[in-house]
Amino acid sequence: RVAFAAVNFGAEVFVGPDDDHLTLIAEHLNGWLPFTADLTPYVKPGQTLLLVVNVKGRKQYLRDGKYIIPQGGTWLEGLADGIIRGIELQILPPVFIEDIWIRTRVDEDDIEPEVTLVNATDAEAVVSLKGQLSAFGTGEFPYPKIPALTVTLTAGERRAVSLGRIGWGLGTASYWWPNVPYCPDYRARQHCLTVEALVEGRCAHSAEQRFGFRQFEAKGCHYYLNGVRCNLRGDNQQEANFGTDAYGVFPGFGAPCDGNPGWPQAVDNLLRLNFNVLRIHQIPATPYMLDVCDDL
């Protein structure tokens, strides 16, 4: 399948052997959000396939002077239209893990992993799920065991499967805490969940998700992190101040490179001001930006 990080603000995806024989295989409507187009029924090994993306800019969704799509900056003439933030060609097994979502509860001292499974075949599939916890980065803990689980997916089914609520029991040293007050070279405590999907006893697909064990909530007039009252101090960052799709293309929002320390240094600068929250204004942050904030 082809995975688009974002197409602003609408897209129709066609495939075929040539321009005269195209088939519509996917449609998308929204700004800055990912979507996929499955090529499987239309492609064969060794053959050439033409992929055509019909991009619809935001002006095509203007009705009576108002936009009928969420587009992020009505006044900004230079707002990005088009294919942005990258495309991937993904080769996946017939039965695969599409996503892993982990709920952490400090009050109940447990976690609940949820695995989204896809059976892309035209037959029923019996899938066994095995999960294992480990440390992300430094430090080790006596992690709890995750019981194996077997599910049956019908042909073409996509299903979110809970692995159950599992006692944590690793104490406050295992919690995710922010770098407040500021300490140089701080890294937040994170963990990793690896899940294998087995079909007929063999691993069909595996996926990994890192996470921090934490609980953030509002109680009355105050915010609490892991049961500790906290005040949020930070600022608002508007991508339009840097240029459209700055998060996707400017080195200051990416990984460190020659001549630019990148987003990690920007976050570190904010932390040295004792910020503990950053509002990303209007345009979604990239996954890399979110990962760096989780780390730091």
Side-chain angles (χ1 to χ4, degrees):
R1 67 185 186 181
V2 177
F4 296 85
V7 177
N8 289 358
F9 285 86
E12 297 171 327
V13 183
F14 301 84
V15 295
D18 52 53
D19 283 315
D20 297 325
H21 301 86
L22 293 175
T23 300
L24 178 66
I25 66 167
E27 293 182 89
H28 175 74
L29 179 65
N30 220 324
W32 313 100
L33 295 179
F35 70 100
T36 61
D38 187 4
L39 308 179
T40 308
Y42 311 97
V43 63
K44 294 182 179 179
Q47 292 186 353
T48 300
L49 187 73
L50 178 64
L51 176 70
V52 176
V53 183
N54 179 26
V55 176
K56 298 181 180 181
R58 65 173 176 166
K59 293 292 177 67
Q60 296 192 41
Y61 301 102
L62 194 60
R63 303 290 187 275
D64 299 325
K66 295 182 179 181
Y67 289 104
I68 60 172
I69 49 145
Q71 41 73 50
T74 303
W75 66 93
L76 182 61
E77 285 298 320
L79 194 71
D81 280 338
I83 300 173
I84 63 175
R85 296 193 179 181
I87 308 172
E88 290 181 341
L89 178 62
Q90 299 176 339
I91 311 298
L92 297 166
V95 176
F96 62 91
I97 298 169
E98 188 170 64
D99 193 24
I100 301 174
W101 172 256
I102 302 163
R103 293 176 175 85
T104 58
R105 303 180 179 93
V106 168
D107 286 349
E108 289 85 358
D109 195 29
D110 66 15
I111 65 171
E112 184 179 5
E114 185 179 275
V115 180
T116 301
L117 282 173
V118 177
N119 175 17
T121 73
D122 57 3
E124 183 179 88
V126 179
V127 185
S128 296
L129 294 173
K130 291 185 177 180
Q132 183 171 354
L133 293 162
S134 60
F136 181 84
T138 59
E140 284 293 341
F141 291 90
Y143 289 104
K145 302 293 184 182
I146 298 178
L149 180 71
T150 299
V151 296
T152 300
L153 300 179
T154 60
E157 184 178 3
R158 177 185 184 274
R159 190 196 307 176
V161 179
S162 171
L163 298 186
R165 295 182 65 164
I166 300 150
W168 186 247
L170 301 182
T172 57
S174 70
Y175 292 1
W176 185 97
W177 298 103
N179 188 7
V180 177
Y182 175 79
C183 295
D185 302 320
Y186 178 84
R187 290 295 182 275
R189 178 70 67 194
Q190 294 184 81
H191 313 279
C192 190
L193 172 63
T194 303
V195 178
E196 290 186 339
L198 291 85
V199 178
E200 296 181 350
R202 300 181 63 180
C203 181
H205 194 219
S206 65
E208 192 175 87
Q209 179 64 54
R210 61 175 162 135
F211 66 98
F213 189 90
R214 57 91 184 106
Q215 182 173 328
F216 182 76
E217 57 190 338
K219 292 182 180 179
C221 298
H222 304 291
Y223 293 116
Y224 290 82
L225 174 65
N226 302 336
V228 178
R229 178 183 160 183
C230 61
N231 296 322
L232 301 184
R233 302 182 182 89
D235 204 352
N236 175 75
Q237 179 168 277
Q238 178 173 288
E239 190 199 46
N241 291 339
F242 308 98
T244 186
D245 197 27
Y247 297 159
V249 297
F250 280 19
F253 299 102
C257 60
D258 290 342
N260 195 308
W263 181 239
Q265 183 63 59
V267 174
D268 190 69
N269 292 341
L270 297 171
L271 290 169
R272 287 189 289 118
L273 296 172
N274 278 326
F275 283 12
N276 60 6
V277 64
L278 177 64
R279 179 182 182 233
I280 298 294
H281 180 49
Q282 297 176 304
I283 308 305
T286 63
Y288 175 76
M289 293 170 67
L290 299 176
D291 285 344
V292 169
C293 290
D294 284 346
D295 290 340
L296 302 182

